């Protein structure tokens, strides 16, 4: 009876691991599509528009909460499965030729997943948390030179400009750092863009640690690639989608996804650090 319960529990965990994993693959695709805008020269405004949409659209917010839950569930479920498998097999298999029985990635999914989880946490602290909670988050500005004189303006979401020197004196920016309010009447005047583009560029071009951040990001994408190499196709197997006709296609697509998506993510910080002109 105990063994039967263990089997059912293990199968349920694998099922949910597969579903959350596939959902997170969809998230990766969408996140990559947005981040690739960083490779377009002089694209700060479009990237910040994308960032504002991703943090303010109600439908996207719901998907974001589902993503956070999926990440936690996927990580916890994976750790529990690893311990459960170890407990069910206290005496390990002979390791003389372990690679002949299973790929390296499949034997180290827990380790790979833990590294990815650490990366996600640090990544969210560096960007997501600043975007949402940092009251010193910069707003996008533009410097306009006319008749030999330069003046800095805030860019607003309605396409207009607010003179920075005057606004700083007459208005305040409340905690969400997106709305300009009249300092006296506390009436909303305009909405601006948080400059996530500037934050991202400065992070990877930081003089002292920018190279280290870039290398750690690239290494994390290599880890992600190995995790996906096994995880993508095994997810379909876990939910019972095995078919002699379609399984080879799924495996081929999974290998392509596991290589192309992390590679494109890795190219972004490499381009910013080494090739983007400050």
């Amino acid at each position: 009876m105990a063994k039967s319960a263990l089997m059912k529990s293990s199968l349920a965990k694998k099922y949910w691991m597969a579903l959350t994993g596939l959902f997170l693959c969809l998230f990766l695709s969408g996140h990559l599509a947005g981040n690739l805008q960083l490779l377009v020269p002089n694209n700060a405004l479009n990237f910040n528009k994308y960032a504002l949409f991703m943090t303010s659209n109600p439908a996207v917010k719901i998907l974001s909460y589902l993503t956070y839950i999926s990440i936690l569930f996927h990580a916890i479920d994976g750790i529990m499965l690893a311990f459960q498998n170890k407990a069910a097999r206290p005496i390990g298999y002979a390791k003389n030729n372990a690679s002949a029985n299973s790929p390296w990635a499949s034997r180290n999914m827990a380790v790979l997943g833990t590294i990815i989880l650490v990366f996600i946490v640090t990544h969210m602290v560096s960007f997501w948390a600043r975007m949402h909670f940092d009251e010193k988050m910069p707003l996008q500005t533009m410097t306009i030179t006319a008749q030999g004189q330069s003046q800095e303006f805030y860019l607003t979401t309605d396409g207009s400009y607010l003179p920075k020197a005057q606004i700083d004196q007459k208005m305040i920016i409340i905690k969400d750092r997106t709305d300009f309010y009249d300092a006296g009447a506390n009436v909303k005047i305009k909405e601006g863009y948080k400059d996530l583009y500037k934050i991202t560029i400065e992070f990877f071009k930081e003089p002292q640690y920018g190279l280290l951040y870039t290398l750690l990001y690239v290494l994390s994408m290599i880890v992600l690639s190995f995790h996906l190499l096994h995880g993508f196709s095994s997810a379909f197997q876990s939910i019972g989608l095995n078919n002699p006709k379609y399984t080879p296609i799924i495996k081929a697509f999974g290998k392509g996804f596991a290589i192309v998506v992390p590679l494109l993510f890795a190219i972004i910080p490499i381009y910013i650090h080494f090739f983007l002109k400050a």
Side-chain angles (χ1 to χ4, degrees):
M1 181 67 69
K3 184 176 181 180
S4 176
L6 179 65
M7 290 286 289
K8 290 179 180 178
S9 176
S10 178
L11 288 174
K13 286 182 174 61
K14 288 181 179 179
Y15 183 82
W16 288 110
M17 275 284 289
L19 290 179
T20 53
L22 291 174
F23 176 78
L24 291 173
C25 285
L26 291 175
F27 162 76
L28 280 175
S29 301
H31 192 48
L32 175 62
N35 283 9
L36 285 176
Q37 296 181 79
L38 291 165
L39 299 178
V40 180
N42 304 314
N43 200 39
L45 180 58
N46 287 329
F47 183 76
N48 289 332
K49 284 181 177 180
Y50 155 75
L52 177 62
F53 174 79
M54 295 298 291
T55 55
S56 60
N57 183 274
V60 174
K61 282 187 175 182
I62 294 173
L63 287 175
S64 296
Y65 294 137
L66 288 175
T67 301
Y68 307 148
I69 294 170
S70 295
I71 291 172
L72 289 173
F73 197 102
H74 194 77
I76 294 171
D77 207 22
I79 293 171
M80 292 177 66
L81 266 174
F83 280 111
Q84 193 174 64
N85 291 337
K86 189 174 181 63
R89 194 171 59 239
I91 301 176
Y93 294 128
K95 298 181 179 179
N96 294 332
N97 192 17
S99 60
N101 300 317
S102 59
W104 180 86
S106 69
R107 290 179 281 110
N108 293 275
M109 288 296 281
V111 175
L112 295 172
T114 300
I115 296 173
I116 295 169
L117 181 61
V118 172
F119 166 77
I120 291 172
V121 172
T122 55
H123 188 70
M124 291 185 72
V125 169
S126 300
F127 300 103
W128 180 88
R130 291 198 65 181
M131 186 72 178
H132 285 79
F133 305 114
D134 186 2
E135 294 187 0
K136 295 182 180 180
M137 178 83 180
L139 298 181
Q140 184 170 354
T141 60
M142 176 178 288
T143 301
I144 300 177
T145 302
Q147 297 179 347
Q149 293 185 337
S150 298
Q151 188 173 3
E152 195 171 12
F153 294 83
Y154 287 115
L155 274 70
T156 65
T157 56
D158 64 358
S160 61
Y161 302 87
L162 296 175
K164 187 175 185 299
Q166 299 177 25
I167 299 305
D168 284 346
Q169 296 173 8
K170 297 179 181 180
M171 298 181 185
I172 60 174
I173 304 171
I174 61 172
K175 64 180 181 180
D176 66 4
R177 304 293 296 183
T178 61
D179 297 337
F180 296 98
Y181 278 71
D182 183 278
N186 198 31
V187 176
K188 181 177 177 179
I189 305 299
K190 296 282 185 180
E191 184 178 26
Y193 293 103
K194 294 180 180 180
D195 203 346
L196 184 62
Y197 181 88
K198 180 180 180 180
I199 293 297
T200 305
I201 301 304
E202 289 180 347
F203 182 83
F204 290 112
K205 293 191 79 69
E206 204 275 333
Q208 189 171 2
Y209 298 108
L211 178 59
L212 176 62
Y213 296 152
T214 300
L215 292 176
L216 289 175
Y217 192 101
V218 172
L219 287 174
S220 297
M221 292 304 101
I222 293 173
V223 172
L224 176 62
S225 180
F226 277 109
H227 192 75
L228 291 171
L229 277 171
H230 173 71
F232 191 94
S233 58
S234 66
F236 285 91
Q237 185 176 0
S238 295
I239 58 179
L241 294 179
N242 275 333
N243 184 288
K245 182 178 180 180
Y246 299 113
T247 296
I249 298 174
I250 292 173
K251 287 185 175 181
F253 179 83
K255 287 181 179 179
F257 186 90
I259 294 172
V260 173
V261 171
L263 176 62
L264 290 176
F265 269 117
I267 286 173
I268 295 171
I270 292 173
Y271 166 76
I272 292 173
H273 183 81
F274 292 104
F275 301 104
L276 184 66
K277 294 182 179 180

